[in-house]
């Protein structure tokens, strides 16, 4: 009887230990995977400008480390190995990047493993990773770079916000509702309503949606006076600004017109009596 009890207890303990082990392995595996996947940084630059790809090893010096930059997981962009790098030994560097990628030599002692591509080309667009292969997790940076070009002599680059679409919605007892839509922009633009003098007009909370890596933004407001109004979309990251201007006529309240007529006749009568008296 006692042997049977001991056997059941041992079996229960073994099962408990197995469950705990599985839970521990699952949790640890999940944590490791999450830590090894860096946040993706999206960058947009204009063709011909510099593109600084950020990567850091914290405050630890990288002078005696090895870090490797690759594009799309295959192309060798830049490798630094304890003082030797592709600018003095470009044997394995992809020909597309030779002579165009530079590191920050004076900042290696503070852990800066960033590089700069200059000048950029449209073909540089892609996914870049920075790895420290002798440390786990090895990947420390992941950047998606988009290089835009000038199109048809217009100051627009790929991903730049198009001209906002403006609509007048309805008249209310507070004024006139106006609607502005900016579609297919990357990076996400800041959208504002402004009057002709450049003053920001208070508006509702913008409605933002993302689709296929670009953003749609809708911004509505109610204006209370007749004026020219601008819907302005600004993308500071790519130094791009575009706007659409429209004239909004705000009706005078119903009882206002009556006062205008009264004031007109009152002024006319005063002028008549003044002329009659002096003449």
């Amino acid at each position: 009887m006692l042997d049977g009890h001991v056997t059941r207890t041992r079996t229960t303990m073994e099962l408990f230990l197995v469950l705990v082990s599985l839970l521990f392995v699952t949790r640890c595996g999940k944590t490791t995977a999450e830590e090894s996947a860096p946040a993706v940084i999206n960058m947009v630059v204009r063709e011909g400008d510099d593109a600084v790809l950020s990567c850091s090893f914290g405050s630890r010096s990288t002078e005696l480390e090895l870090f490797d930059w690759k594009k799309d997981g295959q192309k060798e962009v830049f490798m630094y190995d304890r003082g030797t790098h592709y600018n003095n030994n470009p044997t394995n560097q992809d020909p597309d990047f030779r002579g165009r990628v530079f590191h920050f030599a004076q900042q290696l002692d503070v852990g800066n493993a960033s590089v700069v591509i200059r000048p950029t080309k449209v073909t540089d667009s892609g996914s870049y990773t920075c790895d420290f292969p002798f440390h786990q997790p090895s990947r420390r940076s992941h950047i998606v770079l988009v290089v835009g070009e000038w199109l048809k002599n217009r100051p627009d680059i790929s991903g730049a916000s198009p001209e906002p679409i403006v609509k007048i919605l309805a008249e209310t007892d507070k004024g006139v509702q106006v609607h502005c839509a900016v579609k297919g922009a990357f990076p996400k633009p800041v959208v504002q309503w402004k009057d002709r003098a450049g003053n920001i007009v208070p508006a509702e909370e913008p409605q933002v949606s993302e689709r296929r890596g670009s953003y749609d933004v809708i911004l509505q407001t109610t204006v209370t006076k007749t004026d020219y109004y601008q819907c302005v979309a600004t993308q500071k990251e790519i130094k791009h600004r575009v706007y659409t201007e429209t004239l909004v006529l705000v009706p005078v309240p119903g009882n206002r017109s009556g006062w205008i007529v009264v004031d007109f006749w009152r002024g006319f009568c005063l002028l008549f009596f003044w002329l009659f008296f002096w003449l």
Side-chain angles (χ1 to χ4, degrees):
M1 190 71 178
L2 182 60
D3 291 341
H5 176 72
V6 171
T7 301
R8 287 195 300 273
T9 302
R10 182 180 301 168
T11 301
T12 302
M13 288 296 296
E14 290 174 350
L15 179 60
F16 174 75
L17 291 174
V18 169
L19 292 174
V20 171
S21 299
L22 287 173
L23 179 62
F24 179 78
V25 170
T26 301
R27 288 291 182 182
C28 290
K30 181 177 180 181
T31 302
T32 302
E34 289 174 348
E35 290 178 352
S36 63
V40 178
I41 301 173
N42 294 306
M43 284 184 60
V44 178
V45 300
R46 185 172 56 185
E47 184 179 27
D49 289 350
D50 293 351
V52 178
L53 308 182
S54 300
C55 183
S56 175
F57 198 60
S59 59
R60 178 175 174 175
S61 173
T62 56
E63 290 182 293
L64 299 179
E65 300 288 343
L66 185 152
F67 59 86
D68 187 18
W69 278 96
K70 290 185 179 181
K71 178 189 175 187
D72 300 329
Q74 298 178 345
K75 289 188 175 183
E76 284 288 344
V77 177
F78 187 87
M79 180 184 287
Y80 174 94
D81 185 5
R82 293 168 292 182
T84 301
H85 50 82
Y86 279 159
N87 288 338
N88 55 34
N89 184 20
T91 305
N92 297 319
Q93 188 178 29
D94 190 280
D96 289 344
F97 295 100
R98 288 181 183 175
R100 297 197 302 123
V101 184
F102 307 91
H103 69 302
F104 296 86
Q106 304 302 319
Q107 299 182 25
L108 291 173
D109 59 339
V110 293
N112 189 355
S114 305
V115 295
V116 56
I117 302 175
R118 68 163 65 103
T120 54
K121 302 185 295 185
V122 173
T123 53
D124 292 334
S125 299
S127 177
Y128 291 80
T129 54
C130 171
D131 290 322
F132 288 85
F134 296 120
H135 295 271
Q136 294 297 328
S138 61
R139 182 160 295 168
R140 298 284 174 162
S141 184
H142 184 188
I143 296 174
V144 175
L145 175 66
V146 176
V147 181
E149 62 181 335
W150 292 86
L151 300 174
K152 299 179 182 179
N153 297 320
R154 295 173 54 195
D156 296 321
I157 63 175
S158 178
S161 172
E163 291 185 4
I165 301 171
V166 172
K167 296 180 181 178
I168 298 177
L169 297 183
E171 297 178 8
T172 69
D173 55 350
K174 296 181 180 180
V176 176
Q177 290 181 335
V178 287
H179 170 103
C180 175
V182 177
K183 298 184 177 181
F186 177 81
K188 184 172 67 175
V190 174
V191 182
Q192 296 175 312
W193 276 105
K194 294 185 178 182
D195 60 20
R196 193 66 178 273
N199 302 309
I200 297 176
V201 178
E204 300 175 6
E205 192 71 20
Q207 304 172 35
V208 182
S209 59
E210 183 178 1
R211 55 186 178 90
R212 298 181 181 179
S214 62
Y215 294 89
D216 295 345
V217 181
I218 295 176
L219 186 66
Q220 295 185 179
T221 187
T222 299
V223 298
T224 58
K225 64 178 182 178
T226 296
D227 199 353
Y228 285 90
Y229 292 92
Q230 298 176 349
C231 179
V232 185
T234 305
Q235 294 165 291
K236 291 184 178 180
E237 297 88 342
I238 57 176
K239 299 179 180 179
H240 182 75
R241 179 177 177 271
V242 64
Y243 68 90
T244 297
E245 185 175 81
T246 186
L247 173 63
V248 181
L249 300 174
V250 179
V252 178
N255 62 344
R256 182 73 179 272
S257 59
W259 284 108
I260 292 175
V261 173
V262 171
D263 288 341
F264 171 79
W265 283 110
R266 181 181 297 171
F268 178 81
C269 292
L270 290 174
L271 177 61
F272 175 81
F273 284 113
W274 182 83
L275 292 173
F276 178 81
F277 177 80
W278 286 102
L279 297 176

